[in-house]
């Protein structure tokens, strides 16, 4: 009885055999065991074979196989539920053959005879999960650092006060989580992946919303002052390098233009003057 319940809990084959064995024993006891010699004494005794099979199964489970199978089932379930992209997706693909072999052994009636293979499979799964956790932690830390740089490239970023900028950068830093190098840690990082994406997007939108409102207010005040002097256009100037030969300078020019665009989009009229500077002038 307890053996059958253990197999049911682990979703393993053999429940029918154990239930049939249990019924055979009940039948023998019901007739004062008078049928025992006939059932056990024949050359091919199904009752004897089932008793031997159940004894071997019980011995294997008692010697640690039950916990090993429980851990294997948990790893199989967790890995197969991973998303198909990124590091989790690669882990899922890399372990596909290992999990297929595991399933084939667990579907076999004598599944409990593969104790060595199960131990090896569990070691492999635990090692690969550990590697994936370490890799994902590194990736997420880098993603947060990249997000910090992205914030500085938003045109409205400079409209925030230093304290506001520091607070937003602190919000990003809090997205870094410490995860154990096991299935629990892997789940934590998979869930955190969505949190990072949504939080970064939310922070960017907040920056744009606050900055745009402040740009509009500043330009409104500037336009009102300009009208007092008879001017209608908002004027801006930019002095980029005359020669650009590296990506850093090109990125800076693009950033400067994007910031000007973000500012001037709220002007009724504007005039932007681009004066190409020599390399020495631009460096000054």
């Amino acid at each position: 009885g307890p053996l059958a319940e253990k197999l049911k809990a682990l979703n393993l084959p053999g429940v029918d055999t154990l239930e049939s064995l249990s019924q055979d024993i009940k039948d023998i006891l019901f007739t004062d065991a008078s049928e025992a010699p006939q059932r056990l004494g024949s050359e091919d005794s199904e009752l004897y074979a089932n008793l031997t099979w159940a004894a071997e199964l019980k011995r294997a489970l008692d010697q640690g196989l039950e916990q090993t199978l429980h851990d294997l089932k948990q790893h199989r379930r967790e890995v197969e539920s991973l998303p198909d992209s990124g590091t989790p997706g690669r882990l899922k693909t890399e372990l596909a053959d290992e999990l297929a072999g595991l399933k084939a052994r667990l579907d076999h009636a004598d599944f409990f005879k593969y104790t060595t293979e199960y131990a090896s499979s569990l070691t492999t799964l635990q090692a690969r999960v550990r590697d994936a956790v370490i890799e994902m932690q590194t990736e997420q830390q880098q993603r947060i650092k990249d997000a910090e740089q992205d914030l500085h490239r938003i045109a409205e970023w400079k409209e925030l006060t230093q304290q506001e900028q520091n607070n937003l950068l602190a919000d990003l830093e809090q997205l870094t989580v410490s995860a154990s190098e096991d299935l629990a840690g892997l789940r934590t990082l998979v869930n955190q992946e969505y949190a990072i994406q949504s939080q970064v997007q939310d922070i960017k939108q907040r920056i744009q919303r606050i900055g745009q409102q402040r740009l509009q207010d500043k330009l409104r005040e500037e336009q009102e002052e300009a009208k007092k002097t008879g001017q209608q256009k908002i004027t801006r100037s930019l002095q980029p390098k005359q020669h650009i030969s590296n990506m850093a300078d090109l990125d800076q020019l693009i950033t400067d233009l994007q910031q000007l665009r973000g500012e001037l989009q709220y002007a009724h009229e504007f005039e932007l003057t681009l004066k190409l500077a020599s390399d020495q002038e631009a460096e000054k």
Side-chain angles (χ1 to χ4, degrees):
L3 275 178
E5 292 304 316
K6 288 182 180 181
L7 295 188
K8 287 179 182 178
L10 292 169
N11 194 27
L12 291 169
V15 175
D16 292 343
T17 300
L18 289 172
E19 290 179 345
S20 175
L21 175 60
S22 179
Q23 186 60 50
D24 287 343
I25 294 174
K26 289 178 182 179
D27 292 343
I28 292 176
L29 294 176
F30 182 74
T31 58
D32 296 330
S34 60
E35 296 182 6
Q38 180 181 354
R39 287 176 175 266
L40 291 170
S42 62
E43 184 175 353
D44 296 320
S45 171
E46 182 179 359
L47 177 60
Y48 178 79
N50 288 342
L51 283 169
T52 303
W53 176 86
E56 292 177 357
L57 168 62
K58 183 177 185 304
R59 187 181 308 112
L61 292 176
D62 290 345
Q63 290 176 350
L65 180 60
E66 183 178 0
Q67 184 60 49
T68 299
L69 292 179
H70 179 273
D71 293 342
L72 283 170
K73 289 276 187 175
Q74 186 179 17
H75 276 77
R76 177 184 168 190
R77 182 171 59 253
E78 294 282 352
V79 170
E80 289 179 345
S81 67
L82 290 172
D84 295 327
S85 59
T87 299
R90 289 193 296 273
L91 175 64
K92 191 174 181 179
T93 300
E94 291 170 6
L95 292 178
D97 291 341
E98 184 74 30
L99 294 177
L102 173 62
K103 183 179 184 304
R105 286 190 289 271
L106 292 176
D107 287 342
H108 197 278
D110 291 335
F111 67 88
F112 55 88
K113 295 183 179 180
Y114 299 99
T115 54
T116 302
E117 289 83 351
Y118 294 143
S120 177
S121 291
L122 183 57
T123 299
T124 298
L125 293 172
Q126 290 172 332
R128 286 298 299 116
V129 167
R130 182 188 65 245
D131 294 343
V133 168
I134 294 173
E135 187 175 353
M136 285 189 70
Q137 280 192 307
T138 301
E139 290 173 349
Q140 290 186 0
Q141 290 169 358
Q142 185 59 50
R143 192 170 296 116
I144 291 171
K145 290 181 180 179
D146 293 342
E148 291 178 357
Q149 297 300 317
D150 288 342
L151 297 189
H152 289 83
R153 298 188 185 98
I154 298 176
E156 295 82 3
W157 174 255
K158 65 179 183 178
E159 299 303 320
L160 275 63
T161 65
Q162 185 65 50
Q163 184 61 48
E164 289 172 332
Q165 292 177 352
N166 291 338
N167 290 341
L168 289 173
L169 292 175
D171 289 343
L172 278 182
E173 288 295 331
Q174 291 178 2
L175 293 174
T176 301
V177 296
S178 179
S180 55
E181 296 174 1
D182 53 18
L183 282 179
L186 182 61
R187 280 197 305 272
T188 297
L189 293 177
V190 170
N191 294 334
Q192 189 64 12
E193 194 73 18
Y194 173 77
I196 290 174
Q197 293 178 8
S198 60
Q199 280 285 85
V200 168
Q201 186 62 28
D202 179 66
I203 289 173
K204 289 180 178 180
Q205 290 175 350
R206 284 159 56 193
I207 293 171
Q208 292 172 335
R209 185 171 60 253
I210 295 171
Q212 288 171 3
Q213 183 59 53
R214 291 179 182 174
L215 281 172
Q216 292 180 55
D217 294 341
K218 286 171 60 176
L219 281 176
R220 189 180 299 110
E221 293 176 1
E222 189 174 346
Q223 286 173 335
E224 289 176 355
E225 289 296 324
K227 287 180 180 179
K228 294 178 182 179
T229 60
Q231 297 179 359
Q232 297 296 324
K233 295 180 180 180
I234 298 296
T235 59
R236 294 288 186 272
S237 63
L238 183 64
Q239 193 174 23
K241 285 184 178 181
Q242 186 174 8
H243 299 95
I244 294 178
S245 57
N246 59 73
M247 292 305 298
D249 288 342
L250 180 59
D251 288 341
Q252 184 59 51
L253 174 59
I254 294 172
T255 299
D256 292 341
L257 288 171
Q258 287 177 334
Q259 289 177 343
L260 280 171
R261 184 186 185 283
E263 180 179 351
L264 295 175
Q265 65 177 320
Y266 303 110
H268 296 307
E269 293 184 73
F270 71 86
E271 184 176 285
L272 173 61
T273 302
L274 295 176
K275 180 183 178 183
L276 296 179
S278 64
D279 295 342
Q280 293 80 8
E281 291 175 333
E283 290 176 357
K284 293 179 181 179

